[in-house]
Amino acid sequence: MSVESETRTAGILQVPYALTTVGTWSLVFLAAFESLAVTTIMPIVTADLDGRGLYALAFSSTLAAGVVGMVAFGSWADRRGPAVPLLASVCIFALGLALAGTATAMPVFVAGRFLQGLGAGGETVALYVLVAAVYPAGLHIKIFGAFASAWVLPSLVGPFAAGLVADALSWHWVFLGVLVLVAVATVLVLPSLRGRDRARADRVPPSAADARRVAEAAVVSVSVVVLSSLGEFEPATAWLLVPVILLVIGVALRNLVPPGTLRIRRGLPATVAICGVAGGVFFGTEAFLPLLLHDRYGLPAWLSGVTLTAGAISWALASAVQSRLGDRLDPGTAIRVGAVLLAGGAIIEWATAVLHLPPAAATVGWFAAGAGMGTLYPRISTLVLALSATGEQGFNTAAKSITDAVGGSAALAVGGLLFTVLSFGGAFAFTSLLGVVVILIGLRVGRA
């Protein structure tokens, strides 16, 4: 069998990709698990370490570090290749796990969370560059569909498993146990890293532009943290700060995303931009949905969680469908279908809040929204790689992840302010409007 034929017929769980698939999927899963599990155990951690005053910082520091990690490691992977940057980012993530897992004081725990964010951000973009180097283009949609499931699965089992470990053993083992699993996953990836870095003569040294982008990423990350904290301000002050912070983010983002992204230029820029707006729709709606079900309908927390689980399940199912369809479905068509599902789901949540529809309607809407995200995200990742020139995969995938983080945080901040004035109807009207914007941007994705 020729190499070309073997590439065409082999799947991501067949030779020669099986170990790489299991290892990379596990690294993505463990990073996602950790980010979700911490939410469950944070009250226990802060009580044990007498650190309630640093509760919010333990979350925002991870987000801020992740943005910096995406830019710094994305640039490094483009200059050198994915092997060393991936191993370095995994080591930083592991160091953060060890530091948090052995912490006896809250500042040390926050430092561990910062390192986890830095490592996870770098790991994300380095893995994307590795995918471009290891897998043929025809398998990209399959591996990205698998990565999507690695993010969804922890939302189903992560909080429960973390609570169980914390109750049965100690919250420390939520971090230390993952540390052991990260080591195993890294071993599985090691064979695929051999020979993936550029030859010494082909490596590009860091430039002043690289340093500037890292500094701009730091500005974005700090601005995102401030934006996410506006709920602590007086409403009038918060509304005055929103446009200022968004302007600062926009200026700092210009060199962190492909040219034309902020203008939503057709092709790669629109493909990167749609990730941020879609993230704003989904995560901006998700934050208020459990509150609606609890306050308006009096549902217990576990029953409200069923609605969120419906979205997670449909996300995973839609990702699996995209993986199976592969190149048989045009990426642009898939993205437009996903945009309609996502926008429709957000609009159903708005209608539920405004028209006082039964809570089952919210579950149906969230199932649609999850299916939209599961359809969108694997296709966006595939398109970003397909539209990236050699040596730009790290920069462009980092840009996609940055817009995702910024879009979600901005939507949460603005939605929260609208919620204080107009309650659920205002917050969901905003995310529904963003959903319509996603549909419009979807018309501009793909090749220019």
Side-chain angles (χ1 to χ4, degrees):
M1 180 182 290
S2 67
V3 173
E4 181 180 355
S5 176
E6 182 180 357
T7 298
R8 187 169 56 249
T9 57
I12 60 172
L13 289 175
Q14 296 175 318
V15 176
Y17 310 114
L19 280 180
T20 305
T21 297
V22 174
T24 55
W25 185 93
S26 299
L27 287 174
V28 174
F29 171 83
L30 293 170
F33 172 86
E34 199 61 34
S35 68
L36 291 163
V38 168
T39 304
T40 302
I41 65 169
M42 191 63 76
I44 302 173
V45 174
T46 52
D48 188 35
L49 300 180
D50 192 24
R52 286 291 164 88
L54 298 178
Y55 190 99
L57 185 60
F59 290 101
S60 59
S61 63
T62 308
L63 173 66
V67 173
V68 176
M70 292 171 197
V71 173
F73 282 85
S75 176
W76 189 12
D78 282 340
R79 296 195 314 268
R80 181 192 177 107
V84 171
L86 177 58
L87 291 176
S89 62
V90 170
C91 287
I92 292 172
F93 180 66
L95 179 61
L97 290 172
L99 199 60
T102 57
T104 56
M106 195 63 187
V108 177
F109 180 82
V110 171
R113 294 285 293 147
F114 179 88
L115 291 177
Q116 288 173 47
L118 186 66
E123 180 185 302
T124 298
V125 293
L127 282 174
Y128 275 64
V129 177
L130 180 64
V131 165
V134 172
Y135 297 87
L139 291 181
H140 286 176
I141 184 62
K142 295 184 180 296
I143 188 64
F144 288 133
F147 284 0
S149 71
W151 273 98
V152 173
L153 186 58
S155 68
L156 302 177
V157 302
F160 174 76
L164 192 63
V165 170
D167 289 341
L169 299 172
S170 163
W171 65 262
H172 298 274
W173 282 104
V174 174
F175 299 94
L176 299 179
V178 171
L179 180 60
V180 175
L181 297 176
V182 166
V184 174
T186 304
V187 169
L188 295 176
V189 173
L190 285 177
S192 65
L193 297 181
R194 295 194 186 99
R196 297 299 176 184
D197 276 348
R198 295 184 179 188
R200 188 175 297 275
D202 295 332
R203 294 173 190 170
V204 180
S207 63
D210 293 325
R212 186 185 70 243
R213 281 196 292 268
V214 173
E216 289 167 339
V219 172
V220 171
S221 65
V222 172
S223 300
V224 166
V225 171
V226 175
L227 191 63
S228 302
S229 305
L230 286 181
E232 303 299 322
F233 290 72
E234 290 293 327
T237 303
W239 279 114
L240 288 174
L241 287 174
V242 166
V244 175
I245 297 172
L246 290 178
L247 178 62
V248 171
I249 291 175
V251 171
L253 272 178
R254 287 183 304 173
N255 294 315
L256 302 179
V257 296
T261 298
L262 300 182
R263 299 193 307 274
I264 314 179
R265 196 174 72 199
R266 187 178 297 276
L268 176 63
T271 307
V272 171
I274 197 173
C275 188
V277 184
V281 175
F282 189 84
F283 299 112
T285 304
E286 183 182 49
F288 298 100
L289 189 52
L291 193 60
L292 171 71
L293 296 173
H294 180 272
D295 289 2
R296 178 73 60 79
Y297 298 98
L299 299 185
W302 70 268
L303 192 53
S304 299
V306 170
T307 296
L308 299 184
T309 300
I313 291 172
S314 63
W315 188 329
L317 290 174
S319 297
V321 169
Q322 295 308 306
S323 297
R324 186 169 294 276
L325 288 175
D327 293 336
R328 287 177 290 172
L329 179 63
D330 174 67
T333 300
I335 286 177
R336 287 184 280 275
V337 170
V340 171
L341 286 170
L342 176 61
I347 291 171
I348 290 174
E349 305 309 339
W350 170 79
T352 301
V354 172
L355 303 177
H356 296 266
L357 300 178
T363 303
V364 172
W366 205 236
F367 188 89
M373 292 295 277
T375 302
L376 280 168
Y377 271 37
R379 293 293 181 174
I380 292 171
S381 299
T382 302
L383 264 181
V384 168
L385 277 187
L387 298 174
S388 299
T390 301
E392 295 181 353
Q393 293 101 333
F395 174 83
N396 290 335
T397 54
K400 179 189 72 69
S401 299
I402 290 168
T403 57
D404 191 16
V406 172
S409 298
L412 280 169
V414 176
L417 294 177
L418 287 169
F419 175 76
T420 61
V421 179
L422 301 171
S423 190
F424 296 105
F428 291 147
F430 172 65
T431 55
S432 296
L433 179 61
L434 287 181
V436 175
V437 174
V438 173
I439 294 175
L440 296 177
I441 298 175
L443 301 175
R444 303 181 64 81
V445 301
R447 299 191 180 276

